[in-house]
Amino acid sequence: MKVLVVGANGQVGKHLVKMIQDSEHMEAKAMIRKEEQASYFNELGAETVVVDLEDDIETISQAYEGVDAVVFTAGSGPNTGPDKTVLIDLDGAVKTIEAAKQSGVNRYIMISSFDTTREAIQGAPSSFAPYVVAKHYADDLLRRTNLNYTIIHPGMLTNDEGSGQVEASEKVERGEIAREDVAGVILSTLENESTIGKEFQVVGGTQSIKEAIDSL
Ligand code: NAP
């Protein structure tokens, strides 16, 4: 299975591409936005494609050639304003969903935020609310497609070494999770077709990633 990783040069993305390359039955295609980011992926033997999420759907679709599944783990990050939140976390995500539909790439995994419900929008501090709104509507659109989607809602991301142990369920207590473990959760999700049509929250916990994903 060839997996297009959107946001491959990000912190979760880099872990994920490495794990995919180390796996037996998958290979990664890293979607990056600058040619100079390619060396990390070339060293892993992963293909790269240079596309910016501010490009149009047709350009983004070109990255889907030869691909069986898409993972969206891009994000505008905390150092830009609401303009980029709308352009990347909302419109960028929507364009990758539209590109998946147009390209016939049916498997789509969204890395969402922990809580993207309307209540979470109402309860968010004003500086965070645009991000929750963006994630809410991207998730909402994805649920309304016929794509084989899974929506992953991780807790607060840390750069701790992954423990390989998580708690995953439709609803879990708010908590932290290592980015490396999020990558492991994505890999297990790609490997397990029973996650199709599901969404779940995930934080650090006491169950192995495989067990946690298999028991969803
Ligand atoms: P990250 O390190 O900030 O990586 C984000 C990636 O998105 C970067 O590689 C960045 O590219 C890419 N990107 C930004 N704008 C782009 C554009 N215009 N075109 C193409 N790519 C673009 O993110 P992370 O910490 O790994 O987080 C992964 C995901 O988890 C994100 O979707 C985030 O919203 C979500 N999340 C985060 C938290 C949290 O606690 N932070 C919690 C739950 C979910 P460059 O490398 O070129 O900058």
Side-chain angles (χ1 to χ4, degrees):
M1 186 198 303
K2 189 178 276 193
V3 183
L4 180 69
V5 180
V6 178
N9 195 55
Q11 300 165 90
V12 169
K14 280 184 161 176
H15 283 298
L16 178 61
V17 172
K18 181 166 189 329
M19 283 181 194
I20 290 174
Q21 290 302 107
D22 288 346
S23 75
E24 274 185 24
H25 306 295
M26 284 187 227
E27 52 184 323
K29 185 172 186 181
M31 193 177 121
I32 52 178
R33 56 174 166 165
K34 294 180 197 124
E35 194 61 60
E36 57 264 35
Q37 295 168 338
S39 57
Y40 172 85
F41 305 101
N42 292 339
E43 276 169 32
L44 293 173
E47 195 182 334
T48 56
V49 57
V50 179
V51 174
D52 195 299
L53 284 169
E54 293 190 47
D55 291 337
D56 58 26
I57 294 174
E58 284 61 39
T59 307
I60 293 173
S61 295
Q62 288 166 18
Y64 287 60
E65 208 182 305
V67 161
D68 306 294
V70 189
V71 176
F72 184 93
T73 184
S76 61
N79 300 321
T80 53
D83 52 341
K84 292 294 180 191
T85 306
V86 170
L87 287 169
I88 307 307
D89 302 283
L90 178 53
D91 196 41
V94 167
K95 286 186 286 186
T96 63
I97 293 166
E98 292 300 331
K101 284 159 59 179
Q102 288 182 20
S103 311
V105 176
N106 289 324
R107 185 71 172 119
Y108 189 108
I109 296 182
M110 172 67 85
I111 309 310
S112 183
S113 176
F114 184 71
D115 187 350
T116 59
T117 57
R118 176 145 295 289
E119 294 70 34
I121 297 172
Q122 300 306 136
S126 61
S127 60
F128 193 59
Y131 173 73
V132 186
V133 169
K135 291 300 222 182
H136 171 87
Y137 283 103
D139 290 354
D140 193 51
L141 178 83
L142 183 56
R143 286 184 202 107
R144 293 167 193 263
T145 67
N146 290 322
L147 294 173
N148 291 333
Y149 71 82
T150 306
I151 304 177
I152 301 176
H153 297 277
M156 169 98 73
L157 304 183
T158 73
N159 287 329
D160 296 344
E161 198 181 322
S163 66
Q165 308 275 304
V166 299
E167 184 186 357
S169 184
E170 208 174 313
K171 283 257 165 272
V172 302
E173 284 287 309
R174 199 173 273 276
E176 296 184 342
I177 180 167
R179 286 181 167 88
E180 190 177 358
D181 285 336
V182 174
V185 166
I186 298 167
L187 192 76
S188 273
T189 301
L190 283 163
E191 284 168 341
N192 188 332
E193 289 203 346
S194 73
T195 58
I196 289 172
K198 292 185 181 163
E199 56 187 290
F200 59 90
Q201 294 180 326
V202 60
V203 296
T206 55
Q207 211 175 11
S208 80
I209 289 174
K210 187 177 180 331
E211 274 173 19
I213 299 308
D214 286 353
S215 60
L216 282 169

